[in-house]
Short mmCIF file of all heavy atoms in Angstrom, two decimals:
data_model
loop_
_atom_site.label_atom_id
_atom_site.label_comp_id
_atom_site.label_asym_id
_atom_site.label_seq_id
_atom_site.Cartn_x
_atom_site.Cartn_y
_atom_site.Cartn_z
N VAL A 1265 -20.66 -21.68 13.66
CA VAL A 1265 -19.27 -21.38 14.05
C VAL A 1265 -18.74 -20.14 13.33
O VAL A 1265 -17.72 -19.58 13.74
CB VAL A 1265 -18.34 -22.58 13.77
CG1 VAL A 1265 -18.74 -23.79 14.60
CG2 VAL A 1265 -18.30 -22.92 12.29
N VAL A 1266 -19.42 -19.71 12.26
CA VAL A 1266 -18.94 -18.52 11.55
C VAL A 1266 -18.97 -17.29 12.45
O VAL A 1266 -18.20 -16.34 12.26
CB VAL A 1266 -19.79 -18.29 10.27
CG1 VAL A 1266 -21.21 -17.86 10.63
CG2 VAL A 1266 -19.13 -17.27 9.38
N GLY A 1267 -19.86 -17.28 13.45
CA GLY A 1267 -19.91 -16.15 14.37
C GLY A 1267 -19.04 -16.32 15.60
O GLY A 1267 -19.04 -15.46 16.48
N ALA A 1268 -18.25 -17.40 15.64
CA ALA A 1268 -17.46 -17.71 16.83
C ALA A 1268 -16.12 -16.98 16.95
O ALA A 1268 -15.58 -16.90 18.05
CB ALA A 1268 -17.23 -19.21 16.92
N PRO A 1269 -15.50 -16.47 15.85
CA PRO A 1269 -14.17 -15.87 16.00
C PRO A 1269 -14.04 -14.82 17.11
O PRO A 1269 -13.05 -14.86 17.86
CB PRO A 1269 -13.92 -15.25 14.61
CG PRO A 1269 -14.63 -16.18 13.69
CD PRO A 1269 -15.88 -16.57 14.42
N PRO A 1270 -14.99 -13.87 17.30
CA PRO A 1270 -14.82 -12.93 18.41
C PRO A 1270 -14.78 -13.62 19.77
O PRO A 1270 -13.97 -13.25 20.64
CB PRO A 1270 -16.04 -12.01 18.29
CG PRO A 1270 -16.43 -12.09 16.85
CD PRO A 1270 -16.15 -13.51 16.46
N LEU A 1271 -15.65 -14.61 19.97
CA LEU A 1271 -15.66 -15.34 21.24
C LEU A 1271 -14.36 -16.12 21.43
O LEU A 1271 -13.78 -16.14 22.53
CB LEU A 1271 -16.86 -16.29 21.28
CG LEU A 1271 -16.98 -17.17 22.54
CD1 LEU A 1271 -17.11 -16.31 23.79
CD2 LEU A 1271 -18.17 -18.12 22.41
N VAL A 1272 -13.90 -16.77 20.37
CA VAL A 1272 -12.64 -17.50 20.43
C VAL A 1272 -11.49 -16.56 20.77
O VAL A 1272 -10.60 -16.88 21.56
CB VAL A 1272 -12.38 -18.23 19.10
CG1 VAL A 1272 -10.98 -18.83 19.07
CG2 VAL A 1272 -13.41 -19.33 18.88
N ALA A 1273 -11.51 -15.36 20.17
CA ALA A 1273 -10.46 -14.38 20.44
C ALA A 1273 -10.45 -13.96 21.91
O ALA A 1273 -9.39 -13.85 22.53
CB ALA A 1273 -10.65 -13.15 19.55
N VAL A 1274 -11.65 -13.75 22.48
CA VAL A 1274 -11.74 -13.37 23.90
C VAL A 1274 -11.19 -14.48 24.79
O VAL A 1274 -10.42 -14.23 25.73
CB VAL A 1274 -13.20 -13.05 24.27
CG1 VAL A 1274 -13.35 -12.91 25.79
CG2 VAL A 1274 -13.66 -11.78 23.58
N VAL A 1275 -11.57 -15.73 24.49
CA VAL A 1275 -11.09 -16.87 25.29
C VAL A 1275 -9.57 -17.00 25.17
O VAL A 1275 -8.87 -17.23 26.16
CB VAL A 1275 -11.78 -18.16 24.84
CG1 VAL A 1275 -11.17 -19.38 25.53
CG2 VAL A 1275 -13.27 -18.10 25.15
N CYS A 1276 -9.04 -16.85 23.95
CA CYS A 1276 -7.60 -16.95 23.74
C CYS A 1276 -6.85 -15.86 24.51
O CYS A 1276 -5.82 -16.12 25.15
CB CYS A 1276 -7.27 -16.86 22.25
SG CYS A 1276 -7.71 -18.32 21.29
N CYS A 1277 -7.36 -14.63 24.45
CA CYS A 1277 -6.69 -13.52 25.14
C CYS A 1277 -6.74 -13.71 26.66
O CYS A 1277 -5.75 -13.44 27.36
CB CYS A 1277 -7.34 -12.19 24.75
SG CYS A 1277 -6.98 -11.67 23.05
N ALA A 1278 -7.88 -14.18 27.17
CA ALA A 1278 -8.00 -14.43 28.61
C ALA A 1278 -7.04 -15.53 29.04
O ALA A 1278 -6.35 -15.41 30.08
CB ALA A 1278 -9.43 -14.80 28.96
N SER A 1279 -6.95 -16.59 28.25
CA SER A 1279 -6.04 -17.70 28.57
C SER A 1279 -4.58 -17.25 28.51
O SER A 1279 -3.77 -17.61 29.38
CB SER A 1279 -6.27 -18.86 27.60
OG SER A 1279 -7.60 -19.33 27.66
N ALA A 1280 -4.25 -16.44 27.49
CA ALA A 1280 -2.88 -15.94 27.37
C ALA A 1280 -2.54 -15.02 28.54
O ALA A 1280 -1.41 -15.04 29.04
CB ALA A 1280 -2.71 -15.20 26.05
N GLY A 1281 -3.53 -14.21 28.98
CA GLY A 1281 -3.30 -13.35 30.13
C GLY A 1281 -3.02 -14.13 31.39
O GLY A 1281 -2.12 -13.78 32.18
N LEU A 1282 -3.74 -15.21 31.61
CA LEU A 1282 -3.50 -16.07 32.77
C LEU A 1282 -2.12 -16.71 32.69
O LEU A 1282 -1.41 -16.79 33.70
CB LEU A 1282 -4.58 -17.14 32.87
CG LEU A 1282 -6.00 -16.66 33.20
CD1 LEU A 1282 -6.99 -17.82 33.12
CD2 LEU A 1282 -6.04 -16.03 34.60
N ALA A 1283 -1.75 -17.17 31.50
CA ALA A 1283 -0.44 -17.79 31.32
C ALA A 1283 0.67 -16.77 31.58
O ALA A 1283 1.69 -17.09 32.21
CB ALA A 1283 -0.32 -18.36 29.91
#
Side-chain angles (χ1 to χ4, degrees):
V1265 298
V1266 69
L1271 178 60
V1272 172
V1274 170
V1275 172
C1276 287
C1277 289
S1279 301
L1282 292 174

